[in-house]
Amino acid sequence: MRITILLFDGFTMLDAVGGYAVLGWLPGAEVEFVAERKTIIADDLRSGGMAAWRDYSEVEATDILYVPGGPGVDPQLANEATLAFIRRLHESSTWTFGVCNGVELLAKAGVLAGKTVTTNINARADVAALGAGVVNTRYHRDGKIVTTAGVSAGIDGALYLARLIAGEDVAKTIQLGIEYYPHPPFSYASPDDAPEAIRDVIRVAEESLLLERMNATTPPFPQPAL
């Protein structure tokens, strides 16, 4: 089972790594990290990165197409190479998995028309404007498309997808293996329950400040061709 995780400049690390820590343990899983160019792809904080050791031209098909989010999604919405790659792999994938505002990339690529999805709280309107129905849930399935809310929700969605693929016992075993039994120190049941003042801070950050900070910060590590 091939799992293709898309990387792009300014992705959010947990968006990619959370689901990878789950799906990578599925029996027979072969994971590849793919970007437009083979190099070390810097994350949104610019202090971390992941190696994309295949480029778009090297991947013809996959079983699971995995699209994370992050502030770097915005430039990718205008990158036809990335959108074409998503469309091409989605056409024959068994599953397509979108995390956070990575779901907006799926929508922009045209693969969510008429579908119902979930996404990051601040990306809901943008995803809906691109033709998808949006529900306010932690994760959601519509056919072969599984989508999740923001960042950490990718772990929940990946466990759900693991159960669909390999059964409940395998998914529960993976959950134990990563000791994922969250008990956060704050009692908000969902982002919609957080105080409006906090939500405003995050909304402003996600609309502009995170992308500005990302663009203004040079990664402190080399980004050689691989």
Side-chain angles (χ1 to χ4, degrees):
M1 181 185 352
R2 173 178 282 186
I3 302 171
T4 302
I5 302 178
L6 174 65
L7 298 178
F8 49 84
D9 185 51
F11 74 99
T12 293
M13 187 73 75
L14 186 56
D15 282 14
V17 173
Y20 166 55
V22 173
L23 300 174
W25 288 109
L26 286 171
E30 296 180 0
V31 182
E32 59 188 4
F33 292 92
V34 180
E36 187 172 8
R37 183 171 71 95
K38 290 189 285 188
T39 187
I40 307 300
I41 308 296
D43 74 346
D44 51 359
L45 293 176
R46 313 317 258 174
S47 53
M50 298 183 71
W53 45 275
R54 285 187 175 145
D55 64 33
Y56 295 166
S57 68
E58 296 177 285
V59 183
E60 293 298 324
T62 193
D63 297 299
I64 301 176
L65 170 61
Y66 182 144
V67 180
V73 162
D74 282 358
Q76 295 303 315
L77 294 172
N79 185 346
E80 181 54 34
T82 296
L83 300 178
F85 178 74
I86 290 172
R87 283 192 291 267
R88 178 162 56 83
L89 264 66
H90 172 76
E91 187 174 342
S92 60
S93 67
T94 303
W95 299 98
T96 294
F97 185 64
V99 178
C100 194
N101 66 326
V103 177
E104 191 175 351
L105 269 177
L106 294 174
K108 184 67 174 180
V111 305
L112 298 185
K115 299 293 185 178
T116 301
V117 299
T118 189
T119 186
N120 174 293
I121 184 173
N122 293 315
R124 292 170 182 167
D126 291 334
V127 170
L130 290 168
V134 178
V135 293
N136 304 345
T137 57
R138 187 77 169 159
Y139 53 85
H140 183 78
R141 177 190 179 188
D142 188 336
K144 73 173 188 177
I145 298 170
V146 175
T147 52
T148 84
V151 192
S152 63
I155 301 174
D156 299 61
L159 285 167
Y160 170 74
L161 180 55
R163 182 176 68 182
L164 294 176
I165 293 170
E168 187 164 319
D169 287 345
V170 170
K172 285 181 175 179
T173 302
I174 294 172
Q175 181 178 4
L176 175 59
I178 64 172
E179 291 198 36
Y180 182 64
Y181 302 96
H183 189 67
F186 309 110
S187 59
Y188 313 130
S190 79
D192 298 278
D193 296 329
E196 192 66 30
I198 297 177
R199 289 174 57 188
D200 284 345
V201 170
I202 299 301
R203 177 182 54 78
V204 171
E206 292 186 349
E207 286 179 353
S208 60
L209 297 181
L210 294 178
L211 184 59
E212 290 174 8
R213 172 182 170 175
M214 184 192 90
N215 288 334
T217 307
T218 302
F221 48 85
Q223 294 180 280
L226 299 181

